[in-house]
Amino acid sequence: MRRHEVVVVGAGLAGQRAALAAVEAGRDVAVVSKLHPLRSHSGAAQGGINAAVGAEDSVDTHIYDTVKGSDYLGDQDAIEFFCREAGPTVVEMEHFGTIFSRSPDGSLARRPFGGAGFPRTIYAADRTGLALLQAIWERLGTESSRFTLYQEWDLTRVVVRDGAVQGIVAFDRATGAFEGIAAPSVVLATGPSGRIYARTTNAHSCTGDGVAAAYEAGALLKDMEFVQFHPTALPDSGILITEGARGEGGILKNSLGERFMARYAPHVLDLASRDVVSRAIATEVAEGRGFPGGFAHLELMHLGREKIESRLQEICDFSRHFAGIDPVTEPIPVYPAQHYMMGGIGTNATGATSVRGLFAAGEAACVSIHGANRLGGNSLLETLVFGKQAGIAAAEHAARSSTRPEIAAADVDASQGPIRAMMARKDGEDPAALRAEMQATMERYVGIYRTEADLLEGIRRVRALRQRYENVRIVDRSSVYNLNLTDALEVGHMLELAEVIVVGAYARTESRGAHSRTDYPKRDDAHWMKHTLARRSDRGPELSYSPVAYTRWEPKERVY
Ligand SMILES: Cc1cc2nc3c(=O)[nH]c(=O)nc-3n(C[C@H](O)[C@H](O)[C@H](O)COP(=O)(O)OP(=O)(O)OC[C@H]3O[C@@H](n4cnc5c(N)ncnc54)[C@H](O)[C@@H]3O)c2cc1C
């Protein structure tokens, strides 16, 4: 058995920032990642990172925009802390070597983003995530003698005994060996779970493993029914066309040539929050004003070649290679795709979960600062602000801990046993087929617009798939880079989370942020101004609710 003081699972921005904080606190740190750190989905982030810097903008406006964007479900104390940390965080990343784009006067360039009262999204062309990830990786690299990297290792289980974390069980993809890694503190920073949906902007690796492991270990999941659809993805592939494209002046049109956002958000048009713009596109297409094939157009042509090719280089490449159009001369076809999970492992602002010694940060976590709808540019910031907090808290917990955590052989076997059974089956379910059915079910029954009848059908179908998963079969029995095995495990995690999403969505009889019930079209503050908490039980998720934290902003109707 291996042993460390702090184990961070995930090496995206949140995991690396947590690891850096724990290393700087002098702890013996391990980072476990199923991907090479620079392959993490953080590296796909395009548009930018928010911070109110400069004299014209203010932290208070950033706080207000985030509270309003969350449709008043975000915890205001956490949001205040988050927005105050934004400026110092971006400056720190700049000092770590991030090559941000510049204004002509040399200051950090900023672009407008949806739902923001001021252009406060700082960027590195349309490759902001990669620029940040490379900078933090270099920084962490200088500390490499003080941390251990388990690269291409997959977390399968968080071990909890007597209410306290003992460590994790993971396997090495290169050898297939399962091992326990004991630690008093574990930070889960395993990122998104968008692959639960058929059409998503998320990478193939975004399968919610850490969220499922926390849930199985008894931690509470929070607000899982809030699923963000990004308005502008390429219709077939789901490849993202950054909000920065509208920030730079891009406009949406329907097949009648109308700038339809005027009907949905008369004041800010194309730069309304994502839930509003996604519903607008879906409505235009559903009511027959889309283009054949079912999409809207995003026009950039009027911006001119120079601006498009310098500020939106990747968008040019994606449009040319994956949609066969040139955005300099033609509109880009777009339709909403799953993009972000507002929900996740419930934490407070220090990253602590409901289980002693277990911390979470980044997209896998729910603090909650995004509430019912996340603003673009706030997620990269979240990974860094709360990744650091989780790293600090995990380090402190490990330093204080007086018990010696243990991973028993039985703990490792509890992960390995079911896999042996999956491999021994002569006949059984194909994980890829189960995944495709799950994705289609979630897309159809738990999508942008939701109704009671659809959600009930969604619950029925997801539960039937979970039952079939009991009989899943791994055909490939090799131990070296067995992708059939990782696929089977990932589908199991996603099915578990799909059930929590649909059960939470069925229970919430109101419309708020990204959760839009056509049978309950209004926000219902009297009954639903509360977070959903889900605990795992043999009968499925058990729901309870917790209050939203307020500081200064009274709930108002949200108009853009
Ligand atoms: C296409 C795209 C564009 C985006 N653009 C923006 C933007 O411009 N601005 C913004 O604010 N936000 C943006 N977002 C959202 C933001 O990028 C993500 O929410 C954020 O980067 C997630 O960071 P993370 O560290 O939580 O997870 P990730 O960066 O996804 O890292 C997850 C890590 O967990 C590891 N992992 C996962 N499962 C396991 C397992 N079982 N075992 C071991 N390791 C595991 C992975 O190897 C990886 O290292 C975008 C998202 C996408 C998909």
Side-chain angles (χ1 to χ4, degrees):
M1 184 186 57
R2 296 164 191 260
R3 185 176 285 286
H4 297 277
E5 288 181 295
V6 176
V7 170
V8 178
V9 188
L13 281 173
Q16 289 195 42
R17 191 63 192 83
L20 182 59
V23 165
E24 283 174 345
R27 303 274 69 84
D28 166 16
V29 177
V31 175
V32 178
S33 177
K34 70 179 179 181
L35 304 172
H36 182 283
L38 294 179
R39 294 266 160 190
S40 303
H41 189 66
S42 291
Q46 303 170 353
I49 176 167
N50 294 340
V53 293
E56 324 87 316
D57 199 2
S58 79
V59 170
D60 262 7
T61 331
H62 189 189
I63 298 170
Y64 172 70
D65 290 341
T66 305
V67 169
K68 177 181 173 189
S70 81
D71 220 350
Y72 298 91
L73 193 69
D75 286 327
Q76 295 184 7
D77 50 356
I79 293 174
E80 296 217 10
F81 172 76
F82 169 69
C83 295
R84 286 204 186 92
E85 286 294 304
T89 300
V90 168
V91 170
E92 181 179 69
M93 288 309 296
E94 145 108 318
H95 291 173
F96 287 177
T98 311
I99 310 159
F100 288 116
S101 295
R102 298 279 166 181
S103 305
D105 68 0
S107 61
L108 291 172
R110 290 167 290 170
R111 55 168 54 126
F113 246 48
F118 194 85
R120 73 167 67 89
T121 304
I122 294 161
Y123 57 93
D126 52 0
R127 296 192 191 90
T128 313
L130 194 58
L132 292 167
L133 200 58
Q134 281 171 338
I136 201 154
W137 177 238
E138 286 168 18
R139 179 72 185 196
L140 190 58
T142 63
E143 312 280 354
S144 62
S145 59
R146 289 200 281 153
F147 82 96
T148 310
L149 178 63
Y150 296 93
Q151 184 175 301
E152 296 190 327
W153 280 54
D154 279 51
L155 164 81
T156 55
R157 218 168 119 75
V158 174
V159 179
V160 176
R161 235 185 316 278
D162 303 326
V165 158
Q166 306 294 312
I168 65 164
V169 176
F171 69 92
D172 181 353
R173 286 190 176 190
T175 63
F178 278 73
E179 291 199 43
I181 308 179
S185 293
V186 170
V187 181
L188 294 175
T190 47
S193 36
R195 287 278 153 182
I196 293 173
Y197 282 80
R199 186 154 44 185
T200 175
T201 65
N202 289 187
H204 285 274
S205 56
C206 299
T207 52
D209 305 348
V211 185
Y215 183 55
E216 281 164 16
L220 292 170
L221 303 189
K222 196 196 284 177
D223 293 339
M224 290 290 285
E225 63 270 31
F226 295 100
V227 177
Q228 176 164 85
F229 291 81
H230 194 294
T232 59
L234 296 181
D236 296 329
S237 57
I239 290 175
L240 180 71
I241 302 298
T242 174
E243 194 163 292
R246 280 171 287 137
E248 296 292 346
I251 54 178
L252 290 162
K253 290 212 179 140
N254 64 18
S255 60
L256 305 176
E258 292 171 329
R259 197 169 175 190
F260 57 86
M261 281 312 299
R263 278 200 289 283
Y264 302 89
H267 304 296
V268 297
L269 302 166
D270 307 276
L271 284 175
S273 67
R274 289 178 176 173
D275 54 332
V276 174
V277 184
S278 288
R279 281 193 291 273
I281 296 176
T283 304
E284 290 297 302
V285 170
E287 293 181 354
R289 294 184 296 278
F291 290 89
F295 50 81
H297 273 166
L298 174 63
E299 293 190 357
L300 303 182
M301 297 93 80
H302 55 285
L303 303 179
R305 179 179 296 276
E306 166 24 53
K307 190 169 188 183
I308 299 174
E309 290 187 342
S310 62
R311 299 278 184 88
L312 301 167
Q313 300 158 9
E314 290 218 322
I315 297 314
C316 286
D317 285 349
F318 293 153
S319 303
R320 289 168 185 158
H321 292 128
F322 298 102
I325 65 102
D326 185 350
V328 174
T329 54
E330 294 162 279
I332 309 173
V334 290
Y335 193 80
Q338 190 287 342
H339 183 59
Y340 185 87
M341 297 296 184
M342 267 71 75
I345 307 162
T347 72
N348 63 18
T350 71
T353 71
S354 57
V355 172
R356 189 151 32 100
L358 186 63
F359 302 83
E363 190 165 338
C366 176
V367 178
S368 140
I369 48 159
H370 308 304
N373 173 68
R374 168 175 82 87
L375 293 188
N378 267 355
S379 176
L380 288 178
L381 181 61
E382 174 189 24
T383 62
L384 296 168
V385 169
F386 292 110
K388 177 177 172 184
Q389 295 308 313
I392 291 171
E396 279 172 3
H397 177 80
R400 274 198 319 270
S401 164
S402 52
T403 54
R404 191 174 160 82
E406 292 295 339
I407 307 282
D411 294 320
V412 178
D413 207 53
S415 279
Q416 235 176 334
I419 292 166
R420 276 192 227 105
M422 291 177 200
M423 286 186 174
R425 276 190 192 116
K426 295 271 176 295
D427 198 14
E429 297 283 350
D430 173 10
L434 292 177
R435 184 185 50 209
E437 282 187 51
M438 168 193 66
Q439 291 173 332
T441 299
M442 295 301 282
E443 197 81 29
R444 163 66 186 82
Y445 297 100
V446 203
I448 296 177
Y449 285 113
R450 301 164 173 188
T451 66
E452 179 177 289
D454 279 353
L455 292 168
L456 275 175
E457 183 59 17
I459 292 175
R460 196 188 67 71
R461 285 176 185 246
V462 167
R463 290 201 165 140
L465 288 166
R466 288 200 62 201
Q467 204 128 49
R468 282 169 56 194
Y469 183 79
E470 304 268 296
N471 192 35
V472 74
R473 178 179 180 217
I474 298 171
V475 179
D476 182 350
R477 294 186 188 162
S478 68
S479 48
V480 177
Y481 286 104
N482 186 339
L483 297 182
N484 191 199
L485 161 64
T486 44
D487 202 26
L489 295 177
E490 288 171 351
V491 173
H493 300 152
M494 290 192 287
L495 276 171
E496 187 106 60
L497 301 184
E499 187 184 15
V500 184
I501 293 171
V502 61
V503 167
Y506 172 74
R508 190 174 278 272
T509 48
E510 66 156 354
S511 290
R512 182 186 298 272
H515 174 66
S516 192
R517 293 273 306 246
T518 48
D519 44 358
Y520 296 93
K522 290 248 172 320
R523 193 175 83 197
D524 177 0
D525 288 346
H527 297 101
W528 287 106
M529 186 71 96
K530 55 191 181 186
H531 298 292
T532 305
L533 301 175
R535 183 188 298 282
R536 192 174 189 277
S537 84
D538 291 340
R539 292 175 305 286
E542 269 171 14
L543 301 187
S544 58
Y545 295 90
S546 71
V548 174
Y550 289 101
T551 55
R552 292 185 275 161
W553 283 273
E554 283 297 318
K556 285 194 291 210
E557 193 189 346
R558 205 164 54 117
V559 188
Y560 284 105

